[in-house]
Amino acid sequence: DTKEHYKRVSQETSIESTWKLRGTGEEKISITAKRDPGKVINVLQEGLKVFGKAGRFDLSLKAFGDDEHHVYEDLAIVMGNLFNKLLLERKGIVRTAWAIYPLSGGIVLLAADLGRGYCHIETDIKNRALQAMVHHYFESFSRLGKIDVVAFGIGRRHPFLQYLKPFLPLVLSQPELKKIQAGRLHDNILSVALFKALGESLKEAVKRDPARTK
């Protein structure tokens, strides 16, 4: 099945990854940075682990860099280019998909279309350094992977959630709806859930559709 390998070595980072698109969710991921004062690399490592599991991708990845910013940036470059190599011919697949996850104190919604490479992401991640890294990763990955992504990882007080409330009972159970209104939204959980939603959406989008020839 579809499998690609990519290696990138620069002055700041060394990254090597092998990605099997339709696998079983096996992962072997190691990401480190010399300077990582906010421990945001831990979020990226956990996020890519759940990304692989949710997407049922077999993902092997080893990354090392001088600081957290360069690792996030260059990993997005590697993963985006890998995805584009995996789907160079985008025919006979579903192409569009979405995922929704209720969190304690908030919700994650993500829609993906294997299109041109656009990203709109809004989050209530309070740690500004972490928010900047996560947003930058999604934006770069979408652009290089030629995926159109719209993602929201928001708390219960976000204005957009007020517009969604009438529709949420159609896709969520009562316990899930109560979960959104309870507790506190944690930055790390929210960030990792965004990666999970991306993996879930891409898993559905790359499924083969015999009815489509284009």
Side-chain angles (χ1 to χ4, degrees):
D1 206 345
T2 311
K3 185 177 181 179
E4 289 287 352
H5 176 264
Y6 198 97
K7 185 174 183 179
R8 175 184 170 88
V9 178
S10 69
Q11 290 184 340
E12 295 86 13
T13 63
S14 174
I15 300 171
E16 189 167 7
S17 181
T18 301
W19 184 349
K20 184 178 180 182
L21 196 61
R22 299 179 182 94
T24 60
E26 293 183 11
E27 53 81 14
K28 187 177 181 182
I29 296 173
S30 173
I31 306 173
T32 54
K34 285 183 180 178
R35 296 187 299 277
D36 181 24
K39 302 297 182 186
V40 297
I41 287 296
N42 295 346
V43 175
L44 179 60
Q45 179 162 284
E46 185 60 28
L48 285 173
K49 284 182 177 181
V50 300
F51 167 78
K53 289 175 182 176
R56 295 189 66 80
F57 309 131
D58 292 344
L59 190 58
S60 173
L61 192 156
K62 189 172 184 180
F64 176 77
D66 59 355
D67 63 31
E68 74 279 19
H69 174 79
H70 289 134
V71 174
Y72 266 81
E73 184 174 54
D74 287 9
L75 252 175
I77 291 171
V78 168
M79 297 300 287
N81 278 301
L82 253 178
F83 187 81
N84 197 38
K85 285 177 69 177
L86 286 163
L87 280 181
L88 200 55
E89 291 290 333
R90 305 189 179 202
K91 296 179 181 179
I93 55 176
V94 174
R95 288 186 63 91
T96 60
W98 59 278
I100 178 169
Y101 295 124
L103 305 174
S104 181
I107 191 169
V108 162
L109 306 99
L110 187 144
D113 176 19
L114 306 186
R116 295 178 177 84
Y118 163 83
C119 180
H120 174 84
I121 180 168
E122 279 188 45
T123 71
D124 284 337
I125 300 171
K126 296 176 183 64
N127 183 316
R128 293 302 178 190
L130 178 59
Q131 185 191 67
M133 299 291 178
V134 171
H135 285 213
H136 186 52
Y137 180 92
F138 272 71
E139 289 160 356
S140 296
F141 175 76
S142 300
R143 175 172 52 84
L144 293 163
K146 297 183 180 177
I147 311 160
D148 296 336
V149 172
V150 175
F152 290 88
I154 53 179
R156 59 178 179 262
R157 293 186 179 88
H158 193 284
F160 183 57
L161 193 54
Q162 307 311 310
Y163 292 103
L164 291 175
K165 279 183 177 179
F167 308 101
L168 291 179
L170 301 175
V171 291
L172 296 177
S173 66
Q174 280 300 317
E176 288 173 326
L177 289 170
K178 289 179 181 177
K179 187 177 183 181
I180 295 171
Q181 298 302 323
R184 176 172 162 267
L185 192 62
H186 291 276
D187 282 353
N188 287 16
I189 293 172
L190 171 57
S191 301
V192 170
L194 284 160
F195 282 91
K196 183 179 179 182
L198 181 63
E200 177 72 27
S201 299
L202 293 184
K203 178 189 73 176
E204 298 301 315
V206 303
K207 282 184 176 178
R208 296 184 178 91
D209 183 356
R212 298 193 66 146
T213 58
K214 296 182 179 179

